[in-house]
């Protein structure tokens, strides 16, 4: 039996219009806990946020959010030292440690931050987590895949990368996890036979298909290569016990492919970002693909209506809503907006590069329109010398994770940048993880309203 994991309670989250009575203890369940669902009529003003992580001696990257049937909200993330700013988190260098941690909420607001690693204490780095929710035998569990070993190292080492699995232990409120278990190397034979021996779990690409299959994307390349050369579908048809490599295809200078949604025709809609070569400010079009099935053909796909992307990861989901007097099914995409202009109270123009933005498609990903590129009012305050904006939407974005919750509200965790992060050796420039929960009705000004998943 694993030792009980100690937890650190942190109360950083605010809910607009509510008081401190929503703060809770992790050691007893109040009536508010695990009962955060809202009816559609109660969602009109739901729109809040908080900085989750981003100060201290570490960097926090690659979030992956999940919502369990028993109403816990979790997000997984990788933690690195401040001296490790690379976009790719695991590269086989033991001196650049990367670990996976979890944060847990019972009320979709306040989070408990685990102080012990997901997967337990391992001598190897693990990063870029992918979270799946599995309702096996009516016992909700969370499965986490993460890259380890050589990761995306560009060395000449012949040892293949590893992908490892950790599973939440039942009846521990997701605070205890099994030790990392490496997936069998034979799983990757379709890639190894073609001399591809570097794998990387694409951030937050997990999806549960209508038939219960768990599926995600991994990037791959050959030893000594600098960039991803292609992507493959990794899937399990038996609740995460066994995994298999399915369809695969090559890239044209892209990476971070992820499954945005399973379409009504059964095809998988996939988006990939252009390789930015560690330039967080680079902007380019997404590359889009359709996979006929898990093992079928992957073809390129042309979409319309999206602006240039910030070259970080995307996130997607499906939702049913009312719009223009009709009930519609839609796919939503958490993405970015190239350059959003704002003007402060003194009339000074400001350009926010790559802010978070939400888009929607009513025809299975063919055409997209923007819902918003400002999630919250940009409220200025007087610093004593000048007016400044301290809103999270006034920051750049890079990687993000999104889940449509069971009540139709939407939860996201994003890397938002332009922060100077305090550490024991001074200040460094980087990202903070920002948590949001909102309704489509609130952020669209009433244009769209949730009707059911």
């Amino acid at each position: 039996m694993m030792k009980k994991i100690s937890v650190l309670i942190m109360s950083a989250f605010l809910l607009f219009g509510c008081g401190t009575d929503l703060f809770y203890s992790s050691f007893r369940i109040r009536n508010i806990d695990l009962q955060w669902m809202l009816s559609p009529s109660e969602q009109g003003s739901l729109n809040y946020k908080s900085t989750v992580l981003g100060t201290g001696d570490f960097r926090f990257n690659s979030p992956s959010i999940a919502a369990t049937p028993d109403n816990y909200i979790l997000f997984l993330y990788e933690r690195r030292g401040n001296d490790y700013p690379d976009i790719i988190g695991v590269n086989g260098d033991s001196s650049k440690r990367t670990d996976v941690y979890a944060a847990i909420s019972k009320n979709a607001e306040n989070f408990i931050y685990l102080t012990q690693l997901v997967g337990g204490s391992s001598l190897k780095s693990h990063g870029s987590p992918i979270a799946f929710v599995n309702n096996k035998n009516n016992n909700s569990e969370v499965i986490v895949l993460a890259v380890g070993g050589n990761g995306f190292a560009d060395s000449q080492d012949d040892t293949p990368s590893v992908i490892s699995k950790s599973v939440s232990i039942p009846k521990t409120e997701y605070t205890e996890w099994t030790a990392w278990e490496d997936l069998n190397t034979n799983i990757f034979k379709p890639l190894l036979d073609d001399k591809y021996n570097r794998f990387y779990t694409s951030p937050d690409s997990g999806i549960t298909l209508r038939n219960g299959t768990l599926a995600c994307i991994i990037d791959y390349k050959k030893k000594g290569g600098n960039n991803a050369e292609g992507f493959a579908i990794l899937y399990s048809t038996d609740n995460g016990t066994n995994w298999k490599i399915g369809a695969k295809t090559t890239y044209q200078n892209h990476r971070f492919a992820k499954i945005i949604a399973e379409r009504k025709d059964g095809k998988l809609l996939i988006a990939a970002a252009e390789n930015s070569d560690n330039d967080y400010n680079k902007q380019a079009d997404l590359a889009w693909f359709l996979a006929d099935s898990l093992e079928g053909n992957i073809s390129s796909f042309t979409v319309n209506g999206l602006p240039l992307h910030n070259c970080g990861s995307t996130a997607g989901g499906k939702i049913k809503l009312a719009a223009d007097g009709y009930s519609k099914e839609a796919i939503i995409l958490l993405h970015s907006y190239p350059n959003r202009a704002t003007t402060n109270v003194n009339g000074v123009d400001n350009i926010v590069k790559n802010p978070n933005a939400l888009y929607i498609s009513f025809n299975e990903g063919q055409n997209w329109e923007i819902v918003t590129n400002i999630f919250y009012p940009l409220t200025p305050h007087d610093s004593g010398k000048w007016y400044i904006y301290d809103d999270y939407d006034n920051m750049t974005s890079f990687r993000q994770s999104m889940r449509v919750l069971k009540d139709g509200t939407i939860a996201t965790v994003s890397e938002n940048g332009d922060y100077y992060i305090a550490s024991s050796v001074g200040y460094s420039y980087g990202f903070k993880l920002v948590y949001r929960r909102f309704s489509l009705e609130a952020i669209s000004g009433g244009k769209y309203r949730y009707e059911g998943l």
Side-chain angles (χ1 to χ4, degrees), residues 186-198:
N186 291 332
I187 293 172
F188 306 99
K189 191 175 185 299
L191 299 176
L192 295 172
D193 286 348
D194 291 331
K195 308 302 181 184
Y196 296 113
N197 63 354
R198 296 289 186 269

Side-chain angles (χ1 to χ4, degrees), residues 53-118:
L53 291 164
T55 59
D57 291 333
F58 299 97
R59 293 178 182 268
F60 307 98
N61 303 85
S62 303
S64 178
I65 197 167
T68 68
D70 48 357
N71 297 335
Y72 289 78
I73 307 295
L74 294 79
F75 70 88
L76 290 296
Y77 59 95
E78 63 178 32
R79 192 189 81 170
R80 319 178 196 170
N82 256 339
D83 59 345
Y84 192 5
D86 296 344
I87 291 175
I88 297 297
V90 179
N91 67 355
D93 185 345
S94 60
S95 68
K96 295 181 177 180
R97 181 67 187 227
T98 304
D99 293 302
V100 176
Y101 285 80
I104 305 164
S105 176
K106 295 178 182 178
N107 62 5
E109 291 180 63
N110 308 83
F111 279 79
I112 304 165
Y113 297 87
L114 301 190
T115 58
Q116 185 171 331
L117 312 178
V118 170

